[in-house]
Structure formats: structure tokens, C-alpha cells
Amino acid sequence: MKRMIALCAAAALCLSLLSACGSKNEEEKQVDLAAFAQTIQENYEFSGFLERVDPKDEEMGELMAQMLGNYYPGLTDLELEQLEIYMSMVSFSSGEFALAQAKSAEDAAKVKEIFQARIDAKTTEGPNNYPEEVELWQHNAKLADHGSYVMLVCQENSAAIVEEFNALFS
């Protein structure tokens, strides 16, 4: 009888441990987007005019916030943990990338929509887009996401950059 009770107790303990593991939410791996942005720039060639767009910059913050509002409308209205955007400061660019970590799944979905709108705007011919630039964006713009992290990249090696982004979370 004691043996049967001990076996039942052991089985109940094992089941409770297994059920606790099954219901536990995995925490998302934390990634330093500024460090990843630096890696991208070291490993891949972008325009010499590529600059970080930082609306909190003491000297150029107002201009940078206006740029973000023009090129990524709605982005600064979201709750973001991290934001790294690098754009060319000349009219024709040889690439661009944007990285964001949202505080919620809803905001991550909005970031993805905003980044997709940027791709859509750059892949159509118009008065503000040079034909070579449109072609670059049509063939090389990529969007990637992982949980609350979202990346837009437009560069000739964008597929490799997306692979590096995805590797951050494995």
C-alpha cells in the first residue's frame, strides 16, 4: 500500500512538473539593435552618406524627427524599446535599414506595416524616386520580424542581412 501511494505521489509530481513547463511562456531573447546596426555597417557596403536618424539628437533632433515623420509616418507615436534607423542623407541612396523593438505585439505589427509602407513608397516610380533607386528597392528590400523585433533592409546583400538578423534569435 505504501508503495502504491509513493508511486502515485511520484507520478503526480512528474505530471505537475511537466504541465508547469508546458504552460510557461518563453521569454524573448533580448537583442542589442545598436550593436547589430554597427555589425551591418561593418559587414556590408552602404552609401558613404548613410546616417543614423535620431530624433533625440541634441543638435539635429527636430530635423531628424521631421524626417522620420515624412519617411516612416506614425513610427514615433509607438511605444518602442529600441529604434535604429539609418538612411542616406543624399537624394539617391544605395540602401537603408531600420530596426525596431516594440513594447507590445500590437506595436510590432504596426511597425511592420510602417516599414512595409516605406518599401511600397520606394518601389514605385514617382517624382521623388530615381529609376535606379526604384529598381534597387524592388529587388533588394526585405522585411523580417521576430516577436517584437522588426527589420527593414534595402541593400544588395539584403538576404544575407536577413539571415544574420534571424540568427540573432537562434
Side-chain angles (χ1 to χ4, degrees):
M1 182 73 162
K2 286 183 182 179
R3 225 181 211 184
M4 185 62 107
I5 292 173
L7 284 172
C8 287
L13 180 61
C14 287
L15 286 174
S16 68
L17 288 173
L18 289 174
S19 67
C21 291
S23 66
K24 181 181 171 184
N25 291 335
E26 281 189 39
E27 286 197 29
E28 187 173 51
K29 183 177 180 180
Q30 294 298 304
V31 172
D32 182 351
L33 294 180
F36 182 63
Q38 186 66 36
T39 300
I40 290 173
Q41 292 177 83
E42 290 170 359
N43 294 344
Y44 302 95
E45 187 174 333
F46 284 88
S47 164
F49 300 104
L50 193 72
E51 294 287 333
R52 182 171 186 258
V53 178
D54 183 3
K56 296 177 184 173
D57 182 270
E58 289 183 20
E59 292 178 20
M60 302 289 285
E62 190 174 317
L63 176 64
M64 297 295 180
Q66 186 177 8
M67 283 181 66
L68 279 179
N70 290 338
Y71 298 126
Y72 293 93
L75 191 61
T76 56
D77 298 334
L78 302 176
E79 292 285 326
L80 302 175
E81 294 284 341
Q82 301 179 72
L83 180 63
E84 295 290 323
I85 296 184
Y86 288 80
M87 301 174 69
S88 180
M89 295 299 152
V90 296
S91 55
F92 177 77
S93 72
S94 65
E96 178 173 319
F97 66 93
L99 304 158
Q101 179 190 12
K103 288 187 178 182
S104 70
E106 284 180 351
D107 282 348
K110 289 177 186 173
V111 169
K112 195 171 178 180
E113 288 175 19
I114 292 167
F115 285 2
Q116 184 60 56
R118 176 72 175 152
I119 292 171
D120 295 344
K122 296 300 287 180
T123 55
T124 57
E125 291 188 24
N128 296 324
N129 294 339
Y130 293 100
E132 297 88 359
E133 191 173 25
V134 169
E135 186 175 332
L136 175 73
W137 280 79
Q138 287 174 340
H139 297 290
N140 298 295
K142 303 266 187 257
L143 192 59
D145 66 312
H146 192 282
S148 65
Y149 293 88
V150 185
M151 177 181 72
L152 174 156
V153 62
C154 180
Q155 203 268 352
E156 290 179 357
N157 296 303
S158 58
I161 295 170
V162 168
E163 284 181 25
E164 285 190 39
F165 177 77
N166 290 331
L168 294 171
F169 303 99
S170 55

